């Protein structure tokens, strides 16, 4: 491999992952384990913002997993302003290399995995933090990230029978429901159009996945027993987090240095370390209990960890080699 | 291009640049201009070190050039320990994208350009800082970086008639001289083997390009009128810089945050801002004079700026499109 590397297109990655969502969740568990046990190097990502108003940006997210001798770097562009142009707003590519001689092993399209791995963190959190009796999920947002969360949550909670989608553009909700309903005949899809409140009320799990800097989720809509999965930037009023029985993060240390709602509340001294119940991994490892009763409102915040991207790239690379998928390119 | 991107291998890049070293120097001038006039975003690079002793590392170097609407990220692995394994110790690849919709335009091999652009910064500095009467150049180091500096300096000073190479491994100097002497019949190559002092003495321009953490260049060897081009990490005694009439950097602000000799001297309070004469661009723009007489010993420190990598990637991409070179890959 010294003079070649493997290229995996979106189609290749899609073929390799298929609907093996549990594999993605397993990778998340393993990556968190490496991270929390000091077996990973994960510097802060570099985010360059080209348009403050729209938050058009490109992130560069490296991470190395020491016991595996691998290093991955994801380049991911997030351009919310593309929506109005009819162009996809997220595109990702990754470099994967080994760290024994530092050679590039693979370059792959990471658009699908960017959304799937975020959703896998959410569904993993839901295993521990959602009501065991989860039947209804509600979304603000109907894009790729909302879709991935639906797929992963259905994988975790096959008994979900009601799913409500709302979004800024009402064409988005009907398009997504059309796409999903044939594969999920047991789910009653409710098109809430741009009525966010309708999507939220009486849902066991609520997800905001909308490229917004508006606090669209109102604290008044929160009900006992809900799990809120916060994916994006600033999507909720401060009062939502203040209402929470427990706040759980993928990594609170990483959240502190970003620009999400909790990050901003931390910088503005509205919350501090004492307001955070746990990082997800402490709950997975059994150091702290997850949901303890049906009354708790739990707030889960996912910031996105490059250590997960790197391990997922490696897993996909291994699968590609095993199944002989991809294009070998001369360096 | 929305669903495709261009891949350029090392062979493609080599074909596109050829011996057009002046083009690379022009790109350096233009990139420095954008950088110094606030038309570039250049965050600190992320460097992950896998082996402290050998300084095996992978760097991730993003930069955006605002008026060109482009963003580049270079992934470059530098593994000095590869030398003993007979494996190349530098490998680089870059992503290039536009910043209007954030789409990937090109992924290219950046191994050659990493070394050429560093050398182009050095040769550009030499235009302003070396003796106009430069006839002799001396190297500590005989690897890719030394070779590139030779090529670029010959392009700038075609009257150079003597070139001395020294290196840790004496096979390296003879191999490099064998490679170069047929193309440069007017140059008298002197193989100094591992005698560094011999390579340095009586040279108008001296270059250290060696992956070393040892101060191999001694202050005692410095003579009036020399230009010293410092490329690597810690290759010289502190006293070398302290002897300098003028210290010039590609970017002193960037140097402060790295680990080169000057960076370490700054951190250790041996030098401060007042010891630095200028950044190269101030001299190019005529704000400050370069060399003023034949007695000055001038120390030039190149840290490597990602803004140059990004603009060079873009230039190569434009050439590739013009000449129809490269492989179009499906995203």
């Amino acid at each position: 491999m010294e003079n070649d590397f493997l290229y995996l297109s979106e189609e290749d990655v899609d073929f390799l992952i298929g609907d093996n969502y549990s594999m993605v969740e397993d990778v998340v568990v393993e990556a968190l384990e490496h991270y929390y046990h000091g077996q990973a190097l994960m510097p802060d990502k570099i985010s360059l913002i080209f348009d403050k108003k729209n938050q058009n940006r490109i992130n560069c997210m490296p991470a190395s997993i020491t016991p595996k001798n691998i290093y991955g770097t994801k380049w991911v562009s997030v351009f919310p302003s593309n929506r109005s142009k009819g162009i996809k707003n997220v595109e990702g590519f990754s470099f994967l290399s080994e760290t024994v001689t530092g050679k590039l092993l693979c370059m792959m399209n990471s658009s699908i995995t960017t959304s799937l791995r975020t959703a896998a963190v959410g569904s993993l959190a839901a295993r521990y933090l959602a009501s065991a009796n989860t039947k209804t999920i509600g979304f603000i947002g109907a894009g790729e990230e909302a879709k991935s969360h639906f797929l992963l949550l259905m994988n975790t909670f096959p008994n979900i029978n009601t799913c409500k989608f709302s979004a800024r553009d009402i064409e988005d909700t009907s398009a997504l429901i059309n796409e999903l309903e044939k594969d999920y005949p047991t789910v009653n899809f409710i098109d809430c159009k741009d009525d966010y409140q309708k999507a939220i009320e009486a849902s066991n799990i609520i997800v905001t996945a909308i490229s917004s800097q508006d606090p669209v989720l109102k604290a008044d809509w929160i009900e006992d027993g809900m799990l809120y999965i916060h994916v994006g930037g600033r999507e909720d009023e401060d009062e939502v987090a203040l209402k929470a029985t427990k706040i759980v993060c993928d990594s609170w240390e990483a959240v502190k240095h970003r620009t999400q709602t909790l990050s901003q509340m931390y910088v503005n001294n509205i919350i501090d370390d004492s307001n955070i119940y746990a990082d997800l991994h402490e709950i997975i490892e059994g150091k702290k209990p997850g949901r303890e009763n049906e009354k708790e409102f739990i707030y889960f915040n996912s910031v996105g960890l490059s250590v997960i991207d790197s391990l997922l790239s490696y897993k996909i690379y291994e699968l590609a080699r095993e199944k002989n998928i991809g294009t070998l390119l001369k360096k």
Side-chain angles (χ1 to χ4, degrees), chain A:
Chain A
M1 284 292 289
E2 202 196 319
N3 298 311
D4 303 301
F5 69 97
L6 192 65
Y7 170 61
L8 300 173
S9 68
E10 182 161 17
E11 199 178 310
D12 295 331
V13 174
D14 194 24
F15 173 82
L16 290 165
I17 299 184
D19 57 2
N20 194 354
Y21 305 131
S22 303
M23 180 270 278
V24 183
E25 246 193 46
D26 290 347
V27 167
V28 172
V29 174
E30 189 185 338
L32 291 178
E33 205 172 301
H34 289 304
Y35 175 56
Y36 284 99
H37 293 276
Q39 299 172 333
L41 302 171
M42 191 185 78
D44 262 359
K45 69 178 172 187
I46 298 180
S47 189
L48 287 192
I49 298 174
F50 306 107
D51 172 342
K52 281 244 159 116
K53 184 172 150 271
N54 289 300
Q55 290 285 306
N56 290 344
R57 61 196 183 273
I58 296 180
N59 294 337
C60 183
M61 305 174 67
S64 170
I65 295 161
T66 317
K68 304 256 180 209
N69 288 317
I70 56 156
Y71 172 96
T73 244
K74 188 169 78 170
W75 167 102
V76 58
S77 88
V78 183
F79 274 61
S81 71
N82 282 358
R83 286 167 45 85
S84 60
K85 300 173 189 165
I87 302 171
K88 272 208 219 174
N89 59 3
V90 176
E91 181 167 293
F93 288 90
S94 297
F95 286 131
L96 175 74
S97 57
E98 43 81 4
T99 59
V100 177
T101 64
K103 297 299 168 197
L104 184 73
L105 299 173
C106 186
M107 183 253 191
M108 70 180 75
N109 190 306
S110 297
S111 305
I112 294 176
T113 47
T114 292
S115 132
L116 278 184
R117 64 84 156 134
T118 309
V121 174
S123 64
L124 185 66
R127 278 184 197 277
Y128 298 92
L129 305 176
S131 163
N133 202 27
T134 290
K135 290 284 192 309
T136 302
I137 52 179
F139 289 87
I140 298 179
E144 274 306 307
E145 202 58 77
K147 179 183 157 188
S148 294
H149 273 79
F150 172 81
L151 298 175
L152 273 287
L153 286 170
M154 284 305 300
N155 184 59
T156 308
F157 299 94
N159 293 330
I160 287 173
N161 59 25
T162 307
C163 174
K164 298 186 280 181
F165 284 110
S166 64
R168 274 173 296 197
D169 291 343
I170 56 172
E171 293 81 20
D172 291 354
T173 53
S174 54
L176 183 57
I177 291 171
N178 275 340
E179 188 186 337
L180 295 173
E181 62 189 353
K182 59 181 178 302
D183 288 335
Y184 293 90
T186 62
V187 176
N188 175 29
F189 289 98
I190 298 174
D191 187 345
C192 303
K193 303 188 188 291
D194 58 1
D195 186 346
Y196 301 150
Q197 185 173 358
K198 186 175 170 191
I200 298 305
E201 61 189 13
S203 294
N204 305 107
I205 300 175
I206 60 176
V207 179
T208 56
I210 188 171
S211 288
S212 169
Q213 294 300 310
D214 297 323
V216 292
L217 178 67
K218 306 298 175 194
D220 277 352
W221 306 344
I222 301 300
E223 297 162 25
D224 283 354
M226 280 180 170
L227 165 65
Y228 169 38
I229 300 176
H230 176 113
V231 176
R234 174 145 191 94
E235 304 173 323
D236 50 332
E237 297 181 326
D238 287 357
E239 291 71 22
V240 174
L242 297 175
K243 260 191 151 172
T245 323
K246 289 170 177 163
I247 299 176
V248 178
C249 296
D250 51 356
S251 164
W252 170 235
E253 274 311 313
V255 173
K256 283 181 182 177
H257 303 111
R258 305 288 173 86
T259 54
Q260 297 178 300
T261 309
L262 291 183
S263 323
Q264 295 182 29
M265 290 173 74
Y266 175 73
V267 168
N268 296 327
N269 295 314
I270 299 168
I271 56 171
D272 61 24
D273 292 357
S274 71
N275 293 91
I276 308 303
Y277 173 68
D279 277 352
L280 179 56
H281 195 259
E282 296 174 87
I283 295 171
I284 297 175
E285 287 202 341
K287 289 182 181 155
K288 288 184 184 171
R291 173 172 292 276
E292 291 171 279
N293 61 59
E294 292 297 319
K295 271 193 71 65
E296 290 179 314
F297 163 55
I298 303 184
Y299 185 118
F300 178 68
N301 188 86
S302 169
V303 79
L305 303 174
S306 57
V307 65
I308 296 170
D309 293 308
S310 291
L311 191 63
L312 190 52
S313 293
Y314 182 58
K315 184 74 189 174
I316 291 166
Y317 168 70
E318 283 191 319
L319 282 173
R321 299 256 297 183
E322 209 177 291
K323 299 185 187 227
N324 212 13
I325 295 294
T327 310
L328 211 57
L329 294 172
K330 206 177 137 190
K331 287 183 179 171

